[in-house]
Coordinates of all heavy atoms in Angstrom, one line a residue:
Y1464 N 121.9 12.0 48.3 CA 122.0 12.3 49.7 C 121.1 13.6 50.0 O 120.9 14.4 49.1 CB 123.4 12.5 50.1 CG 124.2 13.6 49.3 CD1 124.2 14.9 49.7 CD2 124.8 13.2 48.1 CE1 124.9 15.9 48.9 CE2 125.5 14.2 47.4 CZ 125.5 15.5 47.8 OH 126.2 16.4 47.0
C1465 N 120.7 13.7 51.2 CA 119.9 14.9 51.6 C 120.9 15.8 52.4 O 121.7 15.4 53.2 CB 118.8 14.5 52.6 SG 117.7 13.2 51.8
K1466 N 120.7 17.1 52.0 CA 121.6 18.1 52.6 C 120.8 19.5 52.6 O 120.3 19.9 51.6 CB 122.9 18.2 51.9 CG 123.9 19.1 52.6 CD 125.3 19.0 51.9 CE 126.3 19.8 52.6 NZ 127.6 19.8 52.0
N1467 N 120.8 20.1 53.8 CA 120.1 21.5 53.9 C 118.7 21.5 53.3 O 118.3 22.5 52.7 CB 121.0 22.5 53.2 CG 122.4 22.6 53.8 OD1 122.6 22.4 55.0 ND2 123.4 22.9 53.0
G1468 N 118.0 20.4 53.5 CA 116.6 20.4 53.1 C 116.4 20.1 51.6 O 115.2 20.2 51.1
Y1469 N 117.4 19.6 51.0 CA 117.3 19.2 49.6 C 117.8 17.7 49.4 O 118.7 17.3 50.1 CB 118.1 20.1 48.6 CG 117.7 21.5 48.6 CD1 118.4 22.5 49.3 CD2 116.5 21.9 48.0 CE1 118.0 23.8 49.3 CE2 116.1 23.2 48.0 CZ 116.9 24.2 48.6 OH 116.5 25.5 48.7
L1470 N 117.2 17.0 48.5 CA 117.7 15.8 48.0 C 118.7 16.1 46.8 O 118.3 16.8 45.9 CB 116.6 14.9 47.5 CG 117.1 13.7 46.6 CD1 117.9 12.6 47.5 CD2 115.9 13.0 45.9
I1471 N 119.9 15.7 46.9 CA 120.9 16.0 45.9 C 121.2 14.6 45.2 O 121.6 13.7 45.8 CB 122.2 16.5 46.4 CG1 122.0 17.6 47.4 CG2 123.1 16.9 45.3 CD1 121.6 19.0 46.9
I1472 N 121.0 14.6 43.9 CA 121.4 13.4 43.1 C 122.5 13.9 42.2 O 122.4 14.8 41.4 CB 120.2 12.9 42.2 CG1 119.1 12.4 43.1 CG2 120.7 11.7 41.3 CD1 117.8 11.9 42.4
E1473 N 123.7 13.3 42.5 CA 124.9 13.9 41.9 C 125.6 12.9 41.0 O 125.9 11.8 41.3 CB 125.9 14.2 43.1 CG 127.1 15.0 42.7 CD 127.9 15.4 43.9 OE1 127.4 16.3 44.6 OE2 129.0 14.9 44.2
A1474 N 125.9 13.4 39.8 CA 126.6 12.6 38.8 C 128.1 13.0 38.8 O 128.4 14.2 38.9 CB 126.0 12.9 37.4
R1475 N 128.9 12.0 38.8 CA 130.4 12.3 38.9 C 131.1 11.6 37.8 O 130.7 10.5 37.4 CB 130.9 11.8 40.3 CG 130.2 12.4 41.5 CD 130.6 11.7 42.8 NE 129.8 12.2 43.9 CZ 129.4 11.4 44.9 NH1 129.8 10.1 45.0 NH2 128.6 11.9 45.9
Q1476 N 132.2 12.2 37.4 CA 133.1 11.5 36.4 C 134.1 10.8 37.2 O 135.1 11.4 37.8 CB 133.7 12.6 35.5 CG 134.5 12.0 34.3 CD 134.8 13.0 33.3 OE1 134.7 14.2 33.5 NE2 135.2 12.5 32.1
E1477 N 134.0 9.5 37.3 CA 134.9 8.7 38.1 C 134.9 7.3 37.5 O 133.8 6.8 37.1 CB 134.6 8.7 39.6 CG 133.2 8.3 40.0 CD 132.9 8.4 41.5 OE1 133.9 8.6 42.2 OE2 131.8 8.2 41.9
K1478 N 136.0 6.7 37.5 CA 136.2 5.3 36.9 C 135.9 4.3 38.0 O 136.4 4.3 39.1 CB 137.6 5.2 36.4 CG 137.8 4.0 35.5 CD 139.2 4.0 34.9 CE 139.6 2.8 34.1 NZ 141.0 2.8 33.7
L1479 N 135.0 3.3 37.6 CA 134.6 2.3 38.5 C 134.6 1.0 37.8 O 134.1 0.8 36.7 CB 133.2 2.6 39.0 CG 132.7 2.0 40.3 CD1 133.3 2.8 41.5 CD2 131.2 2.1 40.4
K1480 N 135.2 0.0 38.4 CA 135.3 -1.4 37.8 C 133.9 -2.0 37.8 O 133.2 -1.9 38.8 CB 136.3 -2.3 38.6 CG 136.7 -3.5 37.8 CD 138.0 -4.1 38.3 CE 138.4 -5.4 37.6 NZ 138.5 -5.2 36.2
N1481 N 133.5 -2.6 36.7 CA 132.3 -3.3 36.5 C 132.4 -4.7 37.1 O 133.1 -5.5 36.4 CB 131.8 -3.3 35.1 CG 130.5 -4.0 34.8 OD1 129.8 -4.4 35.8 ND2 130.2 -4.2 33.6
P1482 N 131.8 -5.0 38.2 CA 131.9 -6.4 38.8 C 131.3 -7.4 37.9 O 131.6 -8.6 38.0 CB 131.2 -6.3 40.1 CG 130.3 -5.1 40.0 CD 130.9 -4.2 39.0
N1483 N 130.4 -7.0 37.0 CA 129.7 -8.0 36.1 C 130.4 -8.1 34.7 O 129.8 -8.6 33.8 CB 128.2 -7.5 35.9 CG 127.6 -7.3 37.2 OD1 127.7 -8.1 38.2 ND2 126.9 -6.2 37.4
Y1484 N 131.6 -7.6 34.6 CA 132.3 -7.6 33.3 C 132.5 -9.0 32.7 O 133.0 -9.9 33.4 CB 133.6 -6.9 33.5 CG 134.5 -6.9 32.2 CD1 134.1 -6.3 31.0 CD2 135.8 -7.4 32.3 CE1 134.9 -6.3 29.9 CE2 136.6 -7.4 31.2 CZ 136.2 -6.9 30.0 OH 137.0 -6.9 28.9
V1485 N 132.1 -9.1 31.5 CA 132.4 -10.4 30.7 C 132.9 -10.0 29.4 O 132.2 -9.4 28.6 CB 131.0 -11.2 30.5 CG1 131.3 -12.4 29.7 CG2 130.4 -11.5 31.8
P1486 N 134.2 -10.2 29.1 CA 134.8 -9.8 27.8 C 134.0 -10.4 26.7 O 133.6 -11.6 26.7 CB 136.2 -10.4 27.9 CG 136.5 -10.7 29.4 CD 135.2 -11.0 30.0
N1487 N 133.9 -9.6 25.6 CA 133.2 -10.0 24.4 C 131.7 -10.4 24.5 O 131.2 -10.9 23.6 CB 134.0 -11.2 23.7 CG 135.4 -10.9 23.5 OD1 135.8 -9.8 23.1 ND2 136.3 -11.9 23.8
S1488 N 131.1 -10.0 25.7 CA 129.7 -10.2 25.8 C 129.0 -9.3 24.9 O 129.4 -8.2 24.6 CB 129.3 -10.0 27.3 OG 127.9 -9.9 27.4
S1489 N 127.8 -9.8 24.4 CA 127.0 -8.9 23.6 C 126.0 -8.0 24.4 O 125.3 -7.2 23.9 CB 126.1 -9.7 22.6 OG 125.3 -10.6 23.3
N1490 N 126.0 -8.3 25.7 CA 125.2 -7.5 26.7 C 125.9 -6.3 27.1 O 127.0 -6.4 27.7 CB 124.9 -8.5 27.9 CG 123.9 -7.8 28.9 OD1 123.8 -6.6 28.9 ND2 123.3 -8.6 29.7
W1491 N 125.3 -5.1 26.9 CA 126.0 -3.8 27.2 C 126.3 -3.7 28.7 O 127.2 -2.9 29.1 CB 125.2 -2.7 26.7 CG 123.9 -2.4 27.4 CD1 122.7 -3.0 27.2 CD2 123.7 -1.5 28.6 NE1 121.8 -2.5 28.2 CE2 122.4 -1.6 29.0 CE3 124.6 -0.6 29.2 CZ2 121.9 -0.9 30.0 CZ3 124.1 0.1 30.3 CH2 122.7 0.0 30.7
K1492 N 125.5 -4.4 29.5 CA 125.8 -4.3 31.0 C 127.0 -5.1 31.4 O 127.5 -4.9 32.5 CB 124.5 -4.8 31.7 CG 123.3 -3.9 31.5 CD 122.1 -4.5 32.3 CE 120.8 -3.7 32.1 NZ 119.7 -4.2 32.8
E1493 N 127.4 -6.0 30.5 CA 128.6 -6.8 30.8 C 129.8 -6.5 30.1 O 130.9 -6.8 30.5 CB 128.2 -8.3 30.5 CG 127.1 -8.8 31.4 CD 126.6 -10.2 31.0 OE1 127.0 -10.7 29.8 OE2 125.9 -10.9 31.7
N1494 N 129.7 -5.9 28.9 CA 130.9 -5.8 28.0 C 131.7 -4.5 28.3 O 132.7 -4.3 27.6 CB 130.5 -5.9 26.5 CG 129.6 -4.9 26.0 OD1 129.5 -3.8 26.7 ND2 128.9 -5.1 24.9
R1495 N 131.3 -3.7 29.2 CA 132.2 -2.6 29.6 C 133.0 -3.0 30.9 O 132.4 -3.3 31.9 CB 131.3 -1.4 30.0 CG 130.3 -1.0 28.9 CD 129.3 0.0 29.5 NE 128.4 0.5 28.5 CZ 127.5 1.5 28.8 NH1 127.5 2.1 29.9 NH2 126.7 1.9 27.8
E1496 N 134.3 -2.9 30.8 CA 135.1 -3.3 31.9 C 135.0 -2.3 33.0 O 135.0 -2.6 34.2 CB 136.6 -3.4 31.5 CG 137.4 -4.1 32.6 CD 138.8 -4.4 32.1 OE1 139.2 -4.2 30.9 OE2 139.6 -4.9 33.0

């Protein structure tokens, strides 16, 4: 987001459900719940 003349890219520690979750998948994009 832009604020006070800067672009801020913010990393947060928050839990988010992976909509692409596939149990036991070998694909790292899918095997994290």
Side-chain angles (χ1 to χ4, degrees):
Y1464 55 92
C1465 303
K1466 192 173 180 182
N1467 300 328
Y1469 297 106
L1470 166 70
I1471 314 286
I1472 297 176
E1473 189 172 289
R1475 303 171 189 146
Q1476 188 168 15
E1477 56 184 350
K1478 194 173 173 184
L1479 202 75
K1480 195 160 177 56
N1481 178 7
N1483 308 314
Y1484 175 57
V1485 178
N1487 305 318
S1488 169
S1489 59
N1490 181 340
W1491 72 274
K1492 295 180 182 180
E1493 297 174 345
N1494 62 21
R1495 305 171 177 184
E1496 191 173 357

